[in-house]
């Protein structure tokens, strides 16, 4: 039996409402069969729709896998980022070694006996050479930092491409959970050093401490 | 409050080199009794054992920051009058204001020179 369209079913229901006194068991059976057939076709259409949707989702996941693969996460996680970390550790170590060498030289000069001018000059000359040698750290640390900057650029470029393909916007970013470290930094006002021209100057600080007018200080926040 | 060069000074910083720099500058200014701590917790412990004439503290340290140390010091009746100078690279307006509101006596932005340190110490003790 062919399935009835929604319009046909509406006509049948209207007919039954008007003529229900003559309704026979056979009429009810015919109607039930027609409605069952209609339901079968509807379900078949839903099946096809769901199948298409799932196929589309699978396609999206495959694209996403390809995009994530494109940023080479393992290369980033196990090579580029650890290497950048080692470079920065080396920078910290080199600057600390240089600073200690310079300070030791300066402390030796400050504590030196000046009663013998010739001996004192020889000592100062000797320590000046130590200071010059220590300052050579800047060349190496400069190269190391440039390597780290290149790595950051590489990561930024790939994450930018991925974000563009995923159409990842600020709305999604707003739902990112604040980490304990981020919360600590916010609550304890930990910003770290500012770039040149961005932080306040010592003169500004002195102005703040020169005034006891709390209202004037509060206005700085406006 | 008069400046007494024999008073003990506590320098709080998690960077040993910075402690060494400040210690040398203080020595140049005539302070010989200089003690050190690597964070707020250690500093607070030392302050409860010894009465310091001046605390010079960094802000960004772990586990206890200089800002938390300042608030602890000002909340403790036995320590609340201790002169406290913040020496820090934290140079946003909100840091300066928060420190002032918490009761810091002066604030030095890193990097700084000997003249600035000298001037701020003198300013604290001339108030």
């Amino acid at each position: 039996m062919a399935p009835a369209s929604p319009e046909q079913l509406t006509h049948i229901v209207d007919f039954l409402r008007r003529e229900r006194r003559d309704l026979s068991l056979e009429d009810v059976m015919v109607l039930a069969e027609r409605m069952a057939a209609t339901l079968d076709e509807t379900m078949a259409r839903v099946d096809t729709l769901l199948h298409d949707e799932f196929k589309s989702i699978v396609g999206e996941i495959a694209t996403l896998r390809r995009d994530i693969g494109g940023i080479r996460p393992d290369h980033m996680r196990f090579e580029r980022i650890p290497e950048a970390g080692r470079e920065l550790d080396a920078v910290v170590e080199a600057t600390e070694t240089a600073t200690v060498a310079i300070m030791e030289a300066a402390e030796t000069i400050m504590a030196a006996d000046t009663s013998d001018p010739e001996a004192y000059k020889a000592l100062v000359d000797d320590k000046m050479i130590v200071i010059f040698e220590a300052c050579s750290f800047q060349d190496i640390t400069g190269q190391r930092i440039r390597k780290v900057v290149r790595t950051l650029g590489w990561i930024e470029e790939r994450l930018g491409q991925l974000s563009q393909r995923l159409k990842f916007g600020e709305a999604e970013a707003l739902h990112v959970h604040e980490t304990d470290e981020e919360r600590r930094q916010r609550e304890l006002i930990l910003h770290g050093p500012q770039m040149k021209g961005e932080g306040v100057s010592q003169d500004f600080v002195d102005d703040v401490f020169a005034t006891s007018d709390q209202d004037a200080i509060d206005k700085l926040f406006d | 409050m008069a400046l007494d060069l024999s008073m003990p000074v506590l320098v709080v910083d998690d960077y040993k080199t910075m402690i060494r720099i400040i210690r040398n500058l203080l020595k140049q200014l005539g302070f010989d009794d200089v003690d050190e701590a690597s964070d707020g917790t250690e500093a607070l412990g030392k302050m409860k054992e010894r009465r310091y004439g001046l605390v010079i503290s960094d802000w960004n340290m772990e586990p206890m920051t200089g800002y938390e140390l300042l608030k602890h010091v000002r909340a403790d009746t036995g320590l609340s009058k201790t002169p406290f100078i913040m020496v820090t690279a934290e140079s946003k307006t909100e840091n300066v204001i928060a420190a002032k509101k918490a009761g810091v006596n002066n604030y030095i932005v890193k990097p700084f020179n000997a003249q600035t340190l000298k001037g701020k110490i003198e300013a604290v003790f001339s108030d």
Side-chain angles (χ1 to χ4, degrees):
Chain A
M1 183 179 292
S5 67
E7 291 77 19
Q8 287 173 319
L9 285 173
T10 305
H11 285 308
I12 294 167
V13 170
D14 288 345
F15 170 78
L16 289 175
R17 277 186 182 143
R18 286 194 310 272
E19 306 296 338
R20 61 177 178 257
R21 279 171 299 184
D22 302 331
L23 192 67
S24 67
L25 179 59
E26 193 179 345
D27 292 332
V28 173
M29 291 299 291
V30 168
L31 181 61
E33 280 177 24
R34 286 195 165 214
M35 291 188 80
T38 303
L39 201 58
D40 280 349
E41 193 181 67
T42 304
M43 289 307 290
R45 277 206 301 271
V46 169
D47 272 355
T48 308
L49 198 67
L50 280 176
H51 180 264
D52 289 346
E53 284 295 324
F54 280 125
K55 201 173 163 185
S56 165
I57 289 169
V58 168
E60 287 292 328
I61 291 171
T63 306
L64 188 60
R65 278 178 61 91
R66 273 198 304 279
D67 289 344
I68 291 173
I71 67 169
R72 300 167 67 194
D74 283 352
H75 180 58
M76 187 190 295
R77 187 176 166 200
F78 298 116
E79 290 178 41
R80 302 295 291 252
I81 292 176
E83 190 185 323
R86 284 194 296 275
E87 295 288 358
L88 290 177
D89 285 342
V91 167
V92 171
E93 192 182 330
T95 52
E96 194 166 352
T97 302
T99 307
V100 168
I102 291 167
M103 288 184 71
E104 276 176 0
E107 284 168 2
T108 305
I109 292 170
M110 284 167 69
D113 178 9
T114 57
S115 60
D116 180 351
E118 272 191 31
Y120 180 69
K121 184 180 183 307
L123 175 79
V124 170
D125 287 348
D126 184 43
K127 293 303 170 190
M128 285 299 140
I129 296 297
V130 171
I131 291 171
F132 286 141
E133 286 169 350
C135 287
S136 66
F137 79 93
Q138 205 276 335
D139 177 32
I140 305 296
T141 55
Q143 290 181 46
R144 290 193 189 284
I145 289 170
R146 276 194 289 278
K147 281 171 77 176
V148 174
V149 169
R150 273 201 298 274
T151 298
L152 288 176
W154 184 86
I155 293 169
E156 183 187 20
E157 184 188 333
R158 276 154 184 79
L159 290 180
Q161 286 170 356
L162 184 64
S163 173
Q164 257 185 347
R165 284 184 197 172
L166 294 177
K167 298 177 178 63
F168 191 82
E170 283 300 313
E172 287 87 351
L174 290 175
H175 297 297
V176 175
H177 180 67
E178 184 181 53
T179 64
D180 289 345
E181 180 58 24
E182 287 167 342
R183 184 176 51 76
R184 181 176 186 272
Q185 289 182 352
R186 177 175 52 76
E187 289 177 353
L188 298 176
I189 328 176
L190 300 170
H191 300 293
Q194 299 300 298
M195 298 303 286
K196 194 175 179 181
E198 289 180 3
V200 298
S201 65
Q202 187 65 51
D203 287 343
F204 171 88
V205 174
D206 294 347
D207 286 345
V208 170
F209 279 83
T211 178
S212 55
D213 180 358
Q214 191 58 52
D215 288 341
I217 292 170
D218 289 341
K219 276 180 189 166
L220 293 169
F221 280 112
D222 296 341
Chain B
M1 204 179 343
L3 179 57
D4 173 12
L5 294 176
S6 67
M7 69 183 176
V9 180
L10 179 62
V11 180
V12 193
D13 203 304
D14 56 352
Y15 190 42
K16 288 277 176 202
T17 307
M18 184 48 68
I19 287 185
R20 197 167 169 176
I21 291 168
I22 295 175
R23 185 187 278 277
N24 275 322
L25 293 176
L26 289 172
K27 196 175 172 186
Q28 284 294 95
L29 297 177
F31 293 96
D32 277 327
D33 190 355
V34 179
D35 212 347
E36 62 186 62
S38 61
D39 85 299
T41 310
E42 190 187 349
L44 207 53
K46 289 196 169 186
M47 290 181 77
K48 285 180 177 171
E49 287 174 5
R50 191 177 184 200
R51 181 173 291 274
Y52 289 96
L54 172 66
V55 174
I56 298 175
S57 177
D58 183 26
W59 185 305
N60 197 342
M61 296 175 291
E62 289 188 19
M64 188 193 287
T65 65
Y67 179 51
E68 291 172 292
L69 171 65
L70 170 64
K71 290 200 281 191
H72 276 289
V73 168
R74 291 294 177 251
D76 186 318
T77 49
L79 304 173
S80 64
K81 302 290 181 195
T82 310
F84 197 115
I85 297 178
M86 197 74 85
V87 180
T88 175
E90 297 290 348
S91 58
K92 285 210 163 187
T93 307
E94 64 172 321
N95 292 97
V96 180
I97 305 300
K100 185 168 166 68
K101 281 186 171 177
V104 81
N105 295 90
N106 221 310
Y107 195 105
I108 298 174
V109 179
K110 287 180 184 172
F112 63 98
N113 56 33
Q115 197 57 41
T116 302
L117 180 64
K118 183 173 184 279
K120 299 313 163 203
I121 292 174
E122 286 172 351
V124 166
F125 286 93
S126 68
D127 284 345

